[in-house]
Amino acid sequence: MSANSSRAGQLLLQASACISWKQDVEGAVYHLANCLLLLGFMGGSGVYGCFYFFGFLSAGYLCCVLWGWFSACGLDIVLWSFLLAVFCLLQLAHLVYRLREDTLAEEFDLLYKTLCLPLQVPLQTYKEIVHCCEKQVLTLATEQTYAVEGETPINRLSLLLSGRVRVSQDGQFLHYIFPYQFMDSPEWESLQPSEEGVFQVTLTAETSCSYISWPRKSLHLLLTKERYISCLFSALLGYDISEKLYTLNDKLFAKFGLRFDIRLPSLYHVLGPTAADAGPESEKGDEEACEPAASPPQATPTSLQQTPPCSPPPAATNFPAPPSRARLSRPDSGILEIDDFPSYFPQFGFSGKVAAGRIP
């Protein structure tokens, strides 16, 4: 064993022995090449780390080509350095191609930063959502209608990117739709995947608008396939519909001067016509009940007149009768009847029976 190791050591010493060492050092190109290679090998990970790594290696190997051609005068040095430099340049070209392919348009990039990045949605998942809408940005001119009530079928889901859209029914203004809000979220939630329907409201662009739109069938297939995307859309659509409800509630506050509960049964009992319609009848009944007491006394026998009147119960003598509850005066400019509920909540599929709490 020791004989073999000593023999290997002798071969190594003999192979590494130089006949003569060069007295002068290599030129500046050689040292520059080594410095560039050193900086390249210090690169990090990730896409930009790969750019750093292959960029410095390419420059270093190109310097080696120049050194081998002008100073070393070695064909093998020139060939190997050239091949390595070409390999690094090809890697850089591949990275540039991938970055260009994965880059989103300005509108989609801003949408991701505004809507999805705060929810920590992975970029790859967002790209699947964008791919479903075919990466197309649609536009609406001023006063151009997106949907007409009773005519436009519900066959897509759209998200407004810029501009402002007015929602109305029978010419009555309901609310606005602002950027990064869904344009037809109530219609989307009101139908099952196998059902068909038409818009109950009219959507008109008040300014130049841009939006993206997902076809109904394609989006349903994506939601069925990807559970995470389905949960994401459920959260976004639910938030969007609640914002529209709060907007309508603010409109009622501005109209009546009272802050109502957005839950429709409670809202209907406050504003519904039942109390107003029953008010005159109840007052009439009260007046009829008070008429015998207010009528003049009739002629009665003397024996009956001498009978002392019955005293009221002690409870009635100890506590005064509660005053009648004054009814709130309702403005004459607009009374929210039961027939007005579809005009206030047409998108949400609430009928008068549901609004009144009478669900069949």
Side-chain angles (χ1 to χ4, degrees), residues 161-196:
L161 297 179
S162 63
R164 186 175 65 181
V165 176
R166 180 179 67 253
V167 182
S168 60
Q169 186 192 40
D170 295 332
Q172 181 183 7
F173 169 75
L174 297 180
H175 61 86
Y176 284 115
I177 298 176
F178 297 100
Y180 304 109
Q181 290 183 344
F182 287 97
M183 300 173 65
D184 41 12
S185 54
E187 287 77 12
W188 174 270
E189 290 292 336
S190 64
L191 296 179
Q192 297 294 329
S194 58
E195 296 178 346
E196 296 181 358

Side-chain angles (χ1 to χ4, degrees), residues 191-266:
L191 296 179
Q192 297 294 329
S194 58
E195 296 178 346
E196 296 181 358
V198 294
F199 278 81
Q200 300 180 25
V201 293
T202 298
L203 279 73
T204 308
E206 281 209 340
T207 61
S208 298
C209 302
S210 62
Y211 66 97
I212 57 175
S213 184
W214 293 273
R216 186 176 182 84
K217 293 183 178 180
S218 301
L219 185 56
H220 270 301
L221 289 176
L222 178 63
L223 298 181
T224 304
K225 179 181 177 182
E226 298 292 340
R227 181 174 177 82
Y228 178 82
I229 298 178
S230 177
C231 295
L232 175 64
F233 266 84
S234 297
L236 293 176
L237 290 171
Y239 177 78
D240 186 82
I241 293 176
S242 65
E243 286 294 316
K244 289 180 172 62
L245 283 173
Y246 277 109
T247 302
L248 294 174
N249 190 37
D250 292 338
K251 180 183 178 182
L252 293 178
F253 172 74
K255 183 176 182 180
F256 294 98
L258 297 174
R259 180 71 65 182
F260 300 114
D261 193 347
I262 64 174
R263 294 171 292 184
L264 291 181
S266 301

Side-chain angles (χ1 to χ4, degrees), residues 11 17 48 92 97 112 118 131 134 174 177 202 233 263 285 308 352:
L11 293 174
Y48 295 102
L92 285 175
Y97 172 77
Y112 176 75
H131 181 73
E134 299 178 356
L174 297 180
I177 298 176
T202 298
F233 266 84
R263 294 171 292 184

Side-chain angles (χ1 to χ4, degrees), residues 276-293:
D277 296 340
E281 296 179 359
S282 61
E283 291 177 357
K284 183 178 180 181
D286 295 340
E287 292 175 358
E288 292 176 354
C290 295
E291 282 178 2

